């Protein structure tokens, strides 16, 4: 994301630097090989808007609390202005309530405006934070890819936005994040990314007519993941014991884990699938399989969010409990 001068990486950073990308502004590139699981950024918020359905006045209020230097930094971030009005609907449906109508109009005016504004910068750089959103200037420098090699999370335990490497990164390789849901198909991703004012050209967004291409295979995997998500969503979480009663439930979860892995989606979503596999196997008394899945769940969770993430202990405690049960069973067998 761009500014008038080359932006710097955070002080003390040893992992990446910001470089110019012809025709694309800036990007973050690895200074050395970076292993999966490495936390390369932990950043405090610059500007916080504590509600999700923010208005321009909410951003203005937060902006006024910044120092002059912070305000200057804010305006170095990329802006989503200058978009073609024809790419967006020309009318708002009459059923839309007044406040939401105003919100849509404010954001639309910012998109098609000719100059950067508070809202044209905020709406394409903000990241979720608790129930609202915030600006993290360093995290905002990372470009998008539908199959990224890093992921971001708001870590409430430490009060910082973190970025972790989820695939090994080579020296000089660009480090990317996904701005949209990695399970979404290409058409939906394209619509979501229109908000940012660019068309993605990553491997997953290439031509998918040829079955040998990554784009085709990615499309197939994501459609299958969506089907499996619909088939299992009401049998997970609090209803996991109900899922455990179904003969094919574990197979569906295993297939989901395999598809996420093939897609390179080593995020919290994959960790949650592995944890569910572990818990179902524990429920059924298959502690050996539960341990295998639990180890994978903990490792993925650690790699993508860190051991200080709020619900990491849930994963670690589950694995510890499963290992204890397995040890007891094995001790009884050898007695």
């Amino acid at each position: 994301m761009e500014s008038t001068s080359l932006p710097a990486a955070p002080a003390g950073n040893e992992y990446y630097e910001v470089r110019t990308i012809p025709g694309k502004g800036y990007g973050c590139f690895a200074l050395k090989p970076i292993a999966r699981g490495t936390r390369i950024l932990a950043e405090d918020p610059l500007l916080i808007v504590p509600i999700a359905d923010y208005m321009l006045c909410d951003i203005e209020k937060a902006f006024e609390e910044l120092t002059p230097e912070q305000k200057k930094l804010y305006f170095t971030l990329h802006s989503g202005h200058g978009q073609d009005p024809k790419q967006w609907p020309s009318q708002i449906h009459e059923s839309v309530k007044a406040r939401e109508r105003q919100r849509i109009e404010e954001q639309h005016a910012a998109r098609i405006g000719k100059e950067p504004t508070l809202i044209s910068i905020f709406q394409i750089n903000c990241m979720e934070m608790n129930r609202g959103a915030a600006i993290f200037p360093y995290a905002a420098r990372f470009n998008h890819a539908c199959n990224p090699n890093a992921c971001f999370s708001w870590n409430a335990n430490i009060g910082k936005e973190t970025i972790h490497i989820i695939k090994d990164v080579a020296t000089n390789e660009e480090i990317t994040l996904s701005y949209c849901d990695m399970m979404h198909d290409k058409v939906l991703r394209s619509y979501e990314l229109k908000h940012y004012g660019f068309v993605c050209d990553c491997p997953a967004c290439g031509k998918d007519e040829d079955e040998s291409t990554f784009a085709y295979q990615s499309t197939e995997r994501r459609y299958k993941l969506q089907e499996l998500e619909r088939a299992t969503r009401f049998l997970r979480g609090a209803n996991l014991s109900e899922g455990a009663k179904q003969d094919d439930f574990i197979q569906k979860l295993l297939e989901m884990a395999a598809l996420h892995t093939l897609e390179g989606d080593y995020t919290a979503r994959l960790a949650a699938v592995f944890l569910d596999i572990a818990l179902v196997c524990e429920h059924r008394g298959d502690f050996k399989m539960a341990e295998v899945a639990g180890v994978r769940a903990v490792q993925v969770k650690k790699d993508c969010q860190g051991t200080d993430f709020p619900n990491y202990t849930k994963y670690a405690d589950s694995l510890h409990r499963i290992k204890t049960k397995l040890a007891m069973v094995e001790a009884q067998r050898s007695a």
Side-chain angles (χ1 to χ4, degrees):
M1 298 185 180
E2 60 189 356
S3 69
T4 55
S5 60
L6 189 64
N13 160 67
E14 61 179 288
Y15 298 109
Y16 71 91
E17 66 180 2
V18 181
R19 299 177 188 171
T20 301
I21 304 176
K24 291 188 176 182
Y26 299 110
C28 299
F29 292 82
L31 292 170
K32 61 182 181 180
I34 311 175
R36 186 169 75 190
T38 303
R39 177 178 289 176
I40 63 170
L41 182 67
E43 182 179 10
D44 294 319
L46 173 71
L47 179 148
I48 302 171
V49 175
I51 56 174
D53 55 343
Y54 58 84
M55 307 286 284
L56 175 57
C57 62
D58 298 312
I59 302 172
E60 290 174 336
K61 180 180 178 181
F63 186 77
E64 285 307 308
E65 297 176 0
L66 302 182
T67 66
E69 191 64 27
Q70 289 174 326
K71 291 178 179 179
K72 182 179 178 181
L73 175 60
Y74 183 93
F75 273 96
T76 67
L77 296 175
H78 183 64
S79 168
H81 70 282
Q83 297 185 34
D84 184 355
K86 295 179 181 179
Q87 293 184 353
W88 298 92
S90 59
Q91 295 181 329
I92 302 173
H93 196 273
E94 60 184 14
S95 64
V96 176
K97 295 182 179 180
R99 188 180 189 280
E100 182 61 17
R101 177 180 293 271
Q102 179 184 345
R103 200 169 89 90
I104 293 171
E105 289 173 344
E106 288 177 350
Q107 294 192 13
H108 182 65
R111 287 192 194 101
I112 66 173
K114 296 183 179 181
E115 299 292 336
T117 63
L118 287 178
I119 197 167
S120 72
I121 293 173
F122 187 85
Q123 65 185 355
I124 68 165
N125 288 284
C126 67
M127 294 176 169
E128 291 183 6
M129 175 184 168
N130 297 327
R131 296 184 179 181
I135 293 292
F136 302 90
Y138 293 119
R141 302 295 182 191
F142 291 85
N143 286 325
H144 165 83
C146 296
N147 285 90
N149 51 25
C151 68
F152 60 93
S153 298
W154 167 249
N155 188 325
N157 275 357
I158 61 174
K160 296 179 184 292
E161 188 76 10
T162 63
I163 293 180
H164 287 78
I165 298 298
I166 58 173
K167 301 175 192 173
D168 291 346
V169 174
T171 303
N172 294 321
E173 182 179 350
E174 185 177 9
I175 303 170
T176 55
L177 307 172
S178 180
Y179 295 178
C180 51
D181 193 316
M182 287 183 66
M183 278 182 57
H184 288 170
D185 58 65
K186 187 165 68 172
V187 173
L188 182 52
R189 296 198 311 272
S190 177
Y191 178 79
E192 291 174 325
L193 293 173
K194 186 172 74 168
H195 167 77
Y196 296 92
F198 69 86
V199 176
C200 184
D201 60 358
C202 77
C205 291
K207 294 182 179 180
D208 55 9
E209 293 84 3
D210 185 344
E211 295 184 12
S212 67
T213 64
F214 180 85
Y216 178 92
Q217 295 164 10
S218 176
T219 297
E220 291 294 302
R221 283 192 291 265
R222 293 180 196 232
Y223 277 133
K224 185 60 178 176
L225 277 167
Q226 290 172 23
E227 291 177 356
L228 290 166
E229 180 71 21
R230 287 191 291 269
T232 61
R233 70 174 59 172
F234 297 116
L235 298 172
R236 299 178 63 189
N239 299 320
L240 197 61
S241 59
E242 292 300 313
K245 297 175 183 178
Q246 297 192 6
D247 293 337
D248 63 345
F249 186 60
I250 279 287
Q251 185 57 43
K252 289 177 179 177
L253 293 179
L254 287 169
E255 188 174 359
M256 289 177 73
L259 289 167
H260 280 299
T261 301
L262 287 170
E263 195 62 21
D265 184 7
Y266 295 97
T267 63
R269 179 174 271 146
L270 176 59
V273 173
F274 276 128
L275 181 62
D276 281 350
I277 294 171
L279 295 177
V280 171
C281 289
E282 179 189 17
H283 180 80
R284 293 178 176 179
D286 185 353
F287 301 121
K288 190 63 178 177
M289 179 64 177
E291 181 187 36
V292 172
V295 168
R296 292 296 305 276
V298 168
Q299 187 62 56
V300 174
K301 188 71 173 177
K302 176 183 176 182
D303 286 348
C304 72
Q305 293 180 320
T307 57
D308 54 8
F309 196 76
N311 68 346
Y312 174 81
T313 54
K314 172 186 175 182
Y315 287 71
D317 290 348
S318 295
L319 178 58
H320 177 73
R321 183 182 66 247
I322 289 167
K323 285 186 172 184
T324 300
K325 290 181 178 180
L326 177 60
M328 291 175 62
V329 169
E330 291 179 339
Q332 290 172 358
R333 287 174 179 171
S334 61

